[in-house]
Amino acid sequence: MSTYAKLFRMPPITPRWNTIKDNVKRQVFAETELEQRTLKSISRNTLLPTKVRMQAQLQLSAMPKLSKMSQIRNRCVMTGTGRSVVGDGVKLNRIQFRTRAISGELPEYKIGGW
Amino acid sequence: MINSGFKSLNQIRLNSVSAVLATPSQAMIQKFIDNKSLQTTSINKLKSELERLYPKDATYTSSDIPFNIKALYFHPRINAKTHNEKVATLVFKSYEKDNLHFMADFAMRAGFYAGCVLSEPLKLKTERALRTYNKSPFVHSKSKQNFFKLTRKIQIDVFDTAPEALDLLLANIVKYAKPGVALEVENYTKQTLEGNFIEGLPSNKYMASALAKDPLFRHIKPLAESELFLQFSQNSNIKINEEVAEVKEDKKPEVIEAKKAEEEK
C-alpha cells in the first residue's frame, strides 16, 4: 500500500525544532494511515446505516490533531525551511534550487531569457 | 637556497624509487610483448570489419553493406492491420531530443521484427514548466531569473498484437534503453460483461489459453460457481440493488407521462 506521507529525511544541517516537529507528524501519520482511511471510507459510504457512519466519524475526530495529513507541510531537504519550496519532484527551497539549476545539477531546467 | 633544497629532495626520491624497483626478468618482457602483439592483431581485425560494415562514404546504393544495415537508410516498415483493435499505447518522454527520436525509431524497427502492428510515431504537445524566482532576498525583488523545463513526448499506438509479442518488444526496449528517456505504457484488453474472453481477437487468444493452464484459476473457478458464493453475494449486495430497481421501475412511467402531458400543452 502506497503511503501519502513518506518518511521525512532529516536535513544534513543541525536539526531545528520545526524539522523535528514535521518529522514526528509524518511518522505518526504513517502509523495511523490505515485506520484513518478505513474510518473515512466508512463515514462517507451512503449505503451503510447512519449509526455506524456517525460512530466512525466520532472515532476519527477523537484522534489527535498531530496525526492528520493536513498538518504536514513540505520542507526543503537541504535547509529545512518551509517557505517557497519548489514542488514537482524538486524538494528544495528557491535559493537552493537556483544555485543547483545554474551549476547544472538539475539538467532538465535551463535558464530562460525573455 | 630554496631552489637548491627542492632539487636535492627530488634527486633523493628518484634514487630511492630506482633502488626499490626490481629489474624485470626476461619472461616478464616476453609476456608483455606477446600480449601487445595479440592486442594489436585483434584491434586490426575489428577495424577492418568496422570499415567493411560502416564505410566512410556509405550510401544505400553501395553493395558492400549487409541488408539489415542498409534498411536503416529507409523508413521503418509497418505490419498491416487485421482487426483494428487497440492493444496498447507507448509514450516516450524526455527533456532532450536526440535520444527520444532514436528510441522511437528503435521501437518501430524492433516492433516490426517482433510481429507487432504499430502506428506511425505521433508527436504530442510539449509540456512547459516555467518558474521565476528572485535573484536575491525579498528586498531586491525587482531582479528576477527565469527557468524553464520542456518535456518532449512521442506516442506510438499498438494494434492487433498478442501479449507475448508486446512483451518481447518491451523487453527489447528496456534492454537497449538510452539514458534520459522514460516510457509509459497503457495496456487494454476486451472482455464480455460476464468476464469471458472474446474468440478471434488477437489480444485474448493467448490470454484464454494461459488462464486455462493456470493452477490458481482452476482452483478458484468451481468456488465462484458454487452455491456458497451465491449465498454470500445475495446477503451482501443484491438486496440493495433490488430496492433500487423497484424504485426506478415505479418512477419511470410517472415521469414519462408527466413529460408527455407537458409537451401536449
XYZ file of all heavy atoms in Angstrom, chain B residues 152-231:
632
model
N 9.476 16.643 -23.973
C 9.004 16.214 -25.293
C 8.394 14.817 -25.180
O 8.867 13.996 -24.408
C 10.163 16.181 -26.299
C 10.407 17.465 -27.014
C 11.233 18.396 -26.213
N 11.606 19.587 -26.956
C 12.729 20.245 -26.757
N 13.591 19.866 -25.833
N 13.002 21.331 -27.461
N 7.372 14.587 -26.019
C 6.679 13.293 -25.963
C 6.431 12.777 -27.373
O 6.137 13.558 -28.283
C 5.322 13.438 -25.273
C 5.401 13.781 -23.809
C 4.009 13.969 -23.272
C 4.041 14.510 -21.876
N 2.690 14.811 -21.399
N 6.545 11.461 -27.519
C 6.188 10.801 -28.779
C 5.323 9.587 -28.460
O 5.680 8.781 -27.593
C 7.439 10.375 -29.574
C 8.161 11.611 -30.121
C 7.067 9.454 -30.717
C 9.436 11.320 -30.823
N 4.185 9.490 -29.130
C 3.252 8.394 -28.859
C 3.254 7.402 -30.018
O 3.291 7.797 -31.187
C 1.848 8.945 -28.660
C 0.862 7.900 -28.196
C -0.536 8.453 -28.051
O -0.715 9.651 -27.909
N -1.508 7.584 -28.102
N 3.212 6.109 -29.665
C 3.092 5.043 -30.666
C 1.966 4.109 -30.229
O 2.000 3.581 -29.115
C 4.407 4.255 -30.820
C 5.526 5.156 -31.346
C 4.227 3.088 -31.759
C 6.895 4.561 -31.231
N 0.963 3.935 -31.085
C -0.151 3.030 -30.770
C 0.159 1.631 -31.289
O 0.785 1.474 -32.335
C -1.444 3.536 -31.413
C -1.872 4.861 -30.819
O -1.537 5.102 -29.649
O -2.525 5.643 -31.521
N -0.326 0.631 -30.530
C -0.120 -0.774 -30.903
C -1.468 -1.406 -31.181
O -2.401 -1.275 -30.376
C 0.593 -1.535 -29.769
C 0.940 -2.940 -30.214
C 1.848 -0.813 -29.333
N -1.590 -2.052 -32.344
C -2.842 -2.694 -32.749
C -2.617 -4.189 -32.976
O -1.550 -4.592 -33.455
C -3.362 -2.086 -34.061
C -3.754 -0.641 -33.960
C -2.829 0.356 -34.209
C -5.034 -0.276 -33.585
C -3.178 1.689 -34.115
C -5.389 1.041 -33.481
C -4.471 2.029 -33.743
N -3.654 -4.985 -32.659
C -3.747 -6.370 -33.136
C -2.491 -7.201 -32.836
O -1.961 -7.883 -33.714
C -3.983 -6.413 -34.651
C -5.149 -5.559 -35.054
O -6.021 -5.354 -34.203
O -5.178 -5.092 -36.203
N -1.982 -7.121 -31.599
C -0.811 -7.947 -31.279
C -1.119 -8.817 -30.068
O -1.866 -8.422 -29.179
C 0.400 -7.078 -30.928
O 0.050 -6.236 -29.820
C 0.830 -6.229 -32.080
N -0.514 -9.996 -30.086
C -0.623 -10.882 -28.924
C 0.230 -10.318 -27.785
O 1.223 -9.649 -28.031
C -0.137 -12.270 -29.298
N -0.184 -10.593 -26.538
C 0.593 -10.073 -25.401
C 2.029 -10.580 -25.356
O 2.907 -9.906 -24.824
C -0.205 -10.537 -24.183
C -1.200 -11.507 -24.680
C -1.425 -11.207 -26.099
N 2.266 -11.767 -25.935
C 3.640 -12.301 -25.958
C 4.548 -11.444 -26.834
O 5.693 -11.151 -26.491
C 3.628 -13.740 -26.459
C 2.990 -14.703 -25.482
C 2.905 -16.096 -26.026
O 3.199 -16.279 -27.219
O 2.544 -16.993 -25.254
N 4.012 -11.032 -27.975
C 4.791 -10.202 -28.902
C 5.057 -8.825 -28.305
O 6.135 -8.243 -28.470
C 4.047 -10.069 -30.227
N 4.046 -8.301 -27.575
C 4.212 -6.986 -26.939
C 5.269 -7.042 -25.837
O 6.072 -6.110 -25.670
C 2.875 -6.549 -26.363
C 2.633 -5.049 -26.280
C 1.151 -4.772 -26.438
C 3.115 -4.463 -24.990
N 5.273 -8.167 -25.083
C 6.291 -8.343 -24.043
C 7.687 -8.381 -24.647
O 8.644 -7.860 -24.080
C 6.024 -9.638 -23.262
C 4.849 -9.486 -22.310
O 4.479 -8.336 -22.022
O 4.318 -10.509 -21.873
N 7.782 -9.043 -25.810
C 9.086 -9.140 -26.488
C 9.583 -7.755 -26.892
O 10.766 -7.436 -26.747
C 8.927 -10.025 -27.726
C 10.115 -10.884 -28.131
C 9.633 -12.111 -28.862
C 11.075 -10.096 -29.004
N 8.663 -6.932 -27.379
C 9.021 -5.564 -27.785
C 9.499 -4.747 -26.585
O 10.547 -4.088 -26.634
C 7.791 -4.896 -28.396
C 7.965 -3.800 -29.449
C 6.596 -3.289 -29.868
C 8.798 -2.634 -28.989
N 8.726 -4.827 -25.492
C 9.057 -4.028 -24.306
C 10.382 -4.478 -23.696
O 11.174 -3.653 -23.229
C 7.933 -4.142 -23.277
C 6.588 -3.524 -23.682
C 5.548 -3.796 -22.617
C 6.721 -2.036 -23.907
N 10.622 -5.800 -23.727
C 11.885 -6.319 -23.206
C 13.059 -5.818 -24.029
O 14.127 -5.485 -23.497
C 11.863 -7.847 -23.198
N 12.858 -5.741 -25.356
C 13.903 -5.226 -26.241
C 14.185 -3.760 -25.972
O 15.335 -3.322 -25.973
C 13.471 -5.399 -27.705
C 14.299 -6.436 -28.411
O 15.511 -6.510 -28.180
N 13.671 -7.224 -29.252
N 13.098 -2.990 -25.727
C 13.256 -1.556 -25.479
C 13.993 -1.332 -24.158
O 14.851 -0.452 -24.050
C 11.876 -0.865 -25.470
C 11.297 -0.806 -26.890
C 11.988 0.549 -24.933
C 9.840 -0.466 -26.929
N 13.639 -2.120 -23.145
C 14.261 -1.950 -21.826
C 15.739 -2.351 -21.871
O 16.582 -1.740 -21.219
C 13.490 -2.783 -20.773
C 14.244 -2.824 -19.463
C 12.110 -2.199 -20.563
N 16.035 -3.386 -22.684
C 17.423 -3.872 -22.743
C 18.340 -2.837 -23.387
O 19.442 -2.593 -22.907
C 17.456 -5.183 -23.545
C 18.774 -5.924 -23.420
C 18.766 -7.177 -24.266
C 20.105 -7.850 -24.207
N 20.157 -9.011 -25.116
N 17.883 -2.239 -24.482
C 18.719 -1.277 -25.208
C 18.250 0.153 -24.968
O 18.180 0.967 -25.881
C 18.703 -1.595 -26.709
C 19.215 -2.978 -27.019
C 18.355 -4.009 -27.334
C 20.580 -3.243 -26.969
C 18.818 -5.282 -27.603
C 21.055 -4.501 -27.238
C 20.178 -5.512 -27.560
O 20.648 -6.759 -27.815
N 17.895 0.451 -23.715
C 17.357 1.783 -23.410
C 18.470 2.819 -23.392
O 19.611 2.537 -23.038
C 16.659 1.759 -22.059
N 18.101 4.037 -23.799
C 19.039 5.164 -23.775
C 18.810 5.974 -22.500
O 17.689 6.015 -21.992
C 18.799 6.051 -25.001
C 19.361 5.497 -26.278
C 20.693 6.136 -26.570
C 21.284 5.558 -27.852
N 22.612 6.113 -28.109
N 19.836 6.653 -21.999
C 19.646 7.437 -20.775
C 18.789 8.672 -21.021
O 18.850 9.276 -22.096
C 21.062 7.823 -20.371
C 21.842 7.745 -21.623
C 21.234 6.644 -22.426
N 17.982 9.011 -20.025
C 17.185 10.231 -20.098
C 15.905 10.093 -20.866
O 15.311 11.086 -21.251
N 15.460 8.849 -21.138
C 14.198 8.635 -21.849
C 13.292 7.756 -20.991
O 13.689 6.658 -20.589
C 14.414 7.968 -23.225
C 13.103 7.850 -23.970
C 15.397 8.757 -24.049
N 12.083 8.244 -20.705
C 11.115 7.474 -19.926
C 10.087 6.855 -20.869
O 9.834 7.384 -21.949
C 10.408 8.370 -18.925
N 9.514 5.734 -20.449
C 8.499 5.040 -21.255
C 7.259 4.805 -20.402
O 7.361 4.309 -19.273
C 9.032 3.698 -21.761
C 8.057 2.815 -22.523
C 7.588 3.480 -23.790
C 8.685 1.483 -22.834
N 6.096 5.190 -20.941
C 4.827 4.984 -20.257
C 3.962 4.090 -21.132
O 3.764 4.384 -22.318
C 4.140 6.324 -20.034
C 3.549 6.469 -18.653
C 3.043 7.866 -18.401
O 2.158 8.293 -19.155
O 3.550 8.518 -17.473
N 3.431 2.999 -20.562
C 2.663 2.032 -21.339
C 1.265 1.888 -20.746
O 1.116 1.755 -19.528
C 3.359 0.652 -21.356
C 2.597 -0.313 -22.232
C 4.780 0.773 -21.837
N 0.246 1.938 -21.614
C -1.128 1.636 -21.196
C -1.595 0.434 -21.989
O -1.603 0.448 -23.214
C -2.047 2.831 -21.469
C -1.886 3.938 -20.452
C -2.891 5.050 -20.680
O -3.786 4.879 -21.527
O -2.755 6.080 -20.026
N -2.012 -0.604 -21.268
C -2.399 -1.865 -21.904
C -3.907 -2.074 -21.762
O -4.448 -1.903 -20.683
C -1.636 -3.017 -21.234
C -1.635 -4.243 -22.093
O -2.239 -4.258 -23.159
N -0.978 -5.278 -21.625
N -4.568 -2.409 -22.883
C -6.013 -2.628 -22.849
C -6.332 -4.068 -23.223
O -5.647 -4.681 -24.021
C -6.730 -1.716 -23.847
C -6.285 -0.286 -23.828
C -5.550 0.257 -24.871
C -6.600 0.530 -22.757
C -5.145 1.572 -24.856
C -6.190 1.848 -22.722
C -5.470 2.363 -23.774
O -5.059 3.663 -23.743
N -7.426 -4.596 -22.607
C -7.957 -5.905 -23.012
C -9.473 -5.794 -23.102
O -10.087 -5.056 -22.347
C -7.606 -6.998 -21.987
O -8.005 -6.545 -20.681
C -6.150 -7.342 -22.017
N -10.050 -6.540 -24.055
C -11.503 -6.530 -24.236
C -12.079 -7.829 -23.713
O -11.582 -8.911 -24.022
C -11.840 -6.359 -25.724
C -11.729 -4.931 -26.199
C -12.170 -4.810 -27.636
C -12.044 -3.381 -28.098
N -12.418 -3.238 -29.509
N -13.167 -7.714 -22.910
C -13.857 -8.890 -22.389
C -15.358 -8.635 -22.422
O -15.803 -7.496 -22.529
C -13.432 -9.168 -20.933
C -12.024 -9.690 -20.806
C -11.638 -9.968 -19.380
O -12.352 -9.611 -18.459
N -10.492 -10.590 -19.197
N -16.101 -9.724 -22.290
C -17.559 -9.578 -22.198
C -17.928 -9.120 -20.787
O -17.099 -9.123 -19.894
C -18.255 -10.906 -22.502
O -17.740 -11.889 -21.598
C -18.000 -11.332 -23.928
N -19.203 -8.748 -20.589
C -19.653 -8.294 -19.271
C -19.609 -9.409 -18.235
O -19.478 -9.161 -17.035
C -21.081 -7.748 -19.378
C -21.204 -6.388 -20.061
C -22.661 -6.083 -20.341
C -20.607 -5.293 -19.185
N -19.736 -10.661 -18.699
C -19.665 -11.795 -17.774
C -18.230 -12.154 -17.418
O -17.999 -13.022 -16.578
C -20.357 -13.008 -18.397
C -21.841 -12.804 -18.615
C -22.406 -13.803 -19.600
O -21.622 -14.569 -20.188
O -23.635 -13.781 -19.790
N -17.267 -11.549 -18.055
C -15.867 -11.817 -17.738
C -15.227 -12.842 -18.641
O -14.125 -13.295 -18.382
N -15.912 -13.237 -19.730
C -15.345 -14.238 -20.637
C -14.531 -13.552 -21.732
O -14.728 -12.371 -22.019
C -16.462 -15.066 -21.272
C -17.222 -15.863 -20.237
O -16.629 -16.393 -19.294
N -18.533 -15.914 -20.381
N -13.659 -14.335 -22.342
C -12.836 -13.805 -23.424
C -13.573 -13.907 -24.755
O -14.383 -14.798 -24.966
C -11.514 -14.561 -23.504
C -10.655 -14.322 -22.317
C -10.529 -15.281 -21.333
C -9.978 -13.120 -22.160
C -9.738 -15.046 -20.226
C -9.192 -12.881 -21.058
C -9.078 -13.852 -20.091
N -13.273 -12.974 -25.648
C -13.899 -12.973 -26.962
C -13.042 -13.800 -27.906
O -11.823 -13.613 -27.971
C -14.051 -11.533 -27.484
C -14.861 -10.703 -26.491
C -14.708 -11.519 -28.849
C -14.672 -9.222 -26.619
N -13.689 -14.678 -28.650
C -12.940 -15.544 -29.570
C -12.556 -14.751 -30.814
O -13.349 -13.951 -31.320
C -13.795 -16.744 -29.963
C -13.881 -17.767 -28.843
C -14.691 -18.973 -29.255
O -15.037 -19.082 -30.442
O -14.959 -19.800 -28.369
N -11.328 -15.009 -31.289
C -10.899 -14.396 -32.536
C -10.022 -13.183 -32.348
O -9.168 -12.914 -33.176
N -10.206 -12.447 -31.242
C -9.373 -11.263 -31.035
C -7.949 -11.679 -30.684
O -7.749 -12.589 -29.876
C -9.945 -10.402 -29.906
C -11.108 -9.491 -30.268
C -11.573 -8.741 -29.054
C -10.716 -8.517 -31.366
N -6.942 -11.032 -31.281
C -5.562 -11.456 -31.044
C -5.081 -11.225 -29.618
O -4.230 -11.944 -29.119
C -4.766 -10.612 -32.037
C -5.660 -9.514 -32.423
C -7.045 -9.997 -32.290
N -5.640 -10.206 -28.954
C -5.185 -9.934 -27.585
C -5.693 -10.988 -26.613
O -5.072 -11.241 -25.587
C -5.661 -8.556 -27.139
O -7.057 -8.548 -26.982
N -6.839 -11.611 -26.911
C -7.443 -12.577 -25.990
C -7.081 -14.021 -26.307
O -7.380 -14.910 -25.539
C -8.971 -12.444 -26.018
C -9.426 -11.180 -25.350
O -8.675 -10.584 -24.601
N -10.631 -10.769 -25.624
N -6.456 -14.224 -27.490
C -6.237 -15.597 -27.956
C -5.305 -16.359 -27.017
O -5.598 -17.461 -26.588
C -5.645 -15.554 -29.361
C -5.869 -16.848 -30.100
C -5.597 -16.812 -31.585
C -4.531 -15.926 -32.100
N -4.306 -16.076 -33.547
N -4.193 -15.701 -26.638
C -3.212 -16.364 -25.787
C -3.598 -16.264 -24.315
O -3.238 -17.101 -23.512
C -1.841 -15.756 -26.005
C -1.289 -16.043 -27.369
C -1.502 -15.189 -28.420
C -0.570 -17.208 -27.592
C -1.009 -15.456 -29.671
C -0.074 -17.496 -28.841
C -0.299 -16.617 -29.882
O 0.185 -16.903 -31.115
N -4.347 -15.206 -23.958
C -4.716 -14.996 -22.559
C -5.649 -16.091 -22.068
O -5.518 -16.588 -20.958
C -5.406 -13.638 -22.421
C -5.382 -13.087 -21.032
S -3.891 -12.203 -20.707
C -4.475 -10.542 -20.951
N -6.612 -16.504 -22.925
C -7.580 -17.525 -22.542
C -6.885 -18.860 -22.311
O -7.183 -19.566 -21.340
C -8.641 -17.668 -23.631
N -5.942 -19.187 -23.188
C -5.225 -20.457 -23.055
C -4.322 -20.439 -21.822
O -4.162 -21.438 -21.132
C -4.390 -20.716 -24.306
O -3.403 -19.731 -24.442
N -3.746 -19.263 -21.517
C -2.861 -19.151 -20.359
C -3.651 -19.283 -19.062
O -3.183 -19.899 -18.103
C -2.143 -17.807 -20.383
N -4.877 -18.720 -19.039
C -5.709 -18.809 -17.834
C -6.171 -20.248 -17.595
O -6.267 -20.691 -16.444
C -6.924 -17.898 -17.975
C -6.867 -16.577 -17.207
C -8.135 -15.802 -17.439
C -6.672 -16.814 -15.723
N -6.465 -20.969 -18.683
C -6.905 -22.350 -18.549
C -5.806 -23.229 -17.953
O -6.083 -24.172 -17.210
C -7.321 -22.894 -19.909
N -4.547 -22.870 -18.267
C -3.412 -23.647 -17.734
C -3.040 -23.222 -16.315
O -2.315 -23.922 -15.626
C -2.200 -23.463 -18.643
C -2.317 -24.189 -19.967
C -1.146 -23.830 -20.851
C -1.360 -24.360 -22.264
N -0.329 -23.843 -23.190
N -3.518 -22.053 -15.877
C -3.110 -21.520 -14.578
C -3.721 -22.342 -13.440
O -4.942 -22.525 -13.389
C -3.583 -20.063 -14.473
C -2.965 -19.374 -13.275
O -1.904 -19.838 -12.842
O -3.555 -18.402 -12.770
N -2.912 -22.863 -12.509
C -3.462 -23.710 -11.439
C -4.346 -22.949 -10.458
O -5.318 -23.490 -9.936
C -2.206 -24.261 -10.749
C -1.126 -23.309 -11.098
C -1.454 -22.764 -12.444
N -4.027 -21.662 -10.215
C -4.815 -20.876 -9.255
C -6.223 -20.622 -9.788
O -7.209 -20.700 -9.066
C -4.108 -19.553 -9.000
C -4.379 -18.878 -7.654
C -3.170 -18.055 -7.241
C -5.606 -18.001 -7.688
N -6.299 -20.325 -11.107
C -7.604 -20.088 -11.730
C -8.454 -21.353 -11.706
O -9.662 -21.306 -11.479
C -7.399 -19.606 -13.170
C -8.678 -19.256 -13.860
C -9.359 -18.099 -13.543
C -9.203 -20.095 -14.830
C -10.544 -17.784 -14.180
C -10.380 -19.782 -15.469
C -11.050 -18.619 -15.140
N -7.808 -22.511 -11.923
C -8.525 -23.788 -11.891
C -9.078 -24.075 -10.489
O -10.118 -24.676 -10.323
C -7.580 -24.916 -12.322
C -7.799 -25.356 -13.752
C -6.983 -26.578 -14.064
N -5.665 -26.260 -14.566
C -4.640 -27.091 -14.547
N -4.773 -28.294 -14.035
N -3.470 -26.740 -15.031
N -8.346 -23.613 -9.475
C -8.762 -23.820 -8.091
C -9.940 -22.916 -7.730
O -10.821 -23.307 -6.959
C -7.568 -23.538 -7.164
C -7.835 -23.871 -5.739
N -7.976 -25.153 -5.285
C -7.995 -23.063 -4.659
C -8.221 -25.140 -3.990
N -8.230 -23.880 -3.581
N -9.964 -21.703 -8.284
C -10.973 -20.706 -7.902
C -12.280 -20.906 -8.668
O -13.357 -20.645 -8.148
C -10.412 -19.277 -8.160
C -9.372 -18.958 -7.102
C -11.509 -18.235 -8.114
C -8.548 -17.749 -7.437
N -12.192 -21.373 -9.919
C -13.363 -21.411 -10.812
C -14.553 -22.179 -10.227
O -15.676 -21.668 -10.246
C -12.955 -21.991 -12.169
C -13.887 -21.553 -13.291
C -13.468 -22.158 -14.608
C -14.453 -21.745 -15.696
N -14.118 -22.388 -16.978
N -14.372 -23.428 -9.679
C -15.524 -24.109 -9.057
C -16.066 -23.378 -7.840
O -17.274 -23.433 -7.567
C -14.940 -25.482 -8.670
C -13.481 -25.334 -8.726
C -13.192 -24.292 -9.746
N -15.195 -22.680 -7.083
C -15.658 -21.923 -5.914
C -16.592 -20.779 -6.335
O -17.600 -20.512 -5.680
C -14.459 -21.356 -5.162
C -13.777 -22.275 -4.149
C -12.504 -21.630 -3.665
C -14.704 -22.553 -2.974
N -16.233 -20.115 -7.442
C -17.035 -18.980 -7.903
C -18.392 -19.416 -8.416
O -19.363 -18.660 -8.341
C -16.270 -18.240 -9.001
N -18.480 -20.663 -8.931
C -19.752 -21.157 -9.463
C -20.590 -21.895 -8.423
O -21.707 -22.322 -8.707
C -19.472 -22.086 -10.648
C -18.896 -21.368 -11.854
C -18.361 -22.342 -12.881
O -18.351 -23.556 -12.612
O -17.925 -21.870 -13.953
N -20.058 -22.063 -7.203
C -20.754 -22.857 -6.190
C -21.892 -22.061 -5.539
O -22.013 -20.850 -5.722
C -19.754 -23.304 -5.116
O -19.263 -22.176 -4.437
N -22.731 -22.777 -4.736
C -23.891 -22.139 -4.096
C -23.464 -21.241 -2.940
O -24.141 -20.265 -2.615
C -24.842 -23.218 -3.572
C -25.556 -23.975 -4.687
C -26.512 -24.988 -4.096
O -26.694 -25.004 -2.861
O -27.063 -25.788 -4.876
N -22.331 -21.579 -2.315
C -21.854 -20.810 -1.158
C -21.535 -19.369 -1.566
O -21.894 -18.421 -0.873
C -20.589 -21.473 -0.614
C -20.190 -21.160 0.821
C -19.600 -22.383 1.482
C -19.223 -20.002 0.898
N -20.932 -19.240 -2.729
C -20.572 -17.900 -3.234
C -21.823 -17.095 -3.570
O -21.912 -15.899 -3.309
C -19.691 -18.058 -4.473
C -19.217 -16.744 -5.021
C -18.190 -16.047 -4.400
C -19.810 -16.197 -6.147
C -17.770 -14.836 -4.898
C -19.386 -14.989 -6.642
C -18.369 -14.316 -6.015
N -22.846 -17.817 -4.116
C -24.104 -17.155 -4.475
C -24.815 -16.630 -3.228
O -25.320 -15.500 -3.204
C -25.014 -18.133 -5.228
C -24.692 -18.333 -6.718
C -25.467 -19.521 -7.262
C -25.029 -17.077 -7.506
N -24.824 -17.462 -2.158
C -25.454 -17.053 -0.897
C -24.757 -15.828 -0.310
O -25.390 -14.887 0.157
C -25.371 -18.197 0.107
C -26.405 -19.299 -0.146
C -26.233 -20.441 0.818
O -25.492 -20.327 1.785
N -26.912 -21.543 0.539
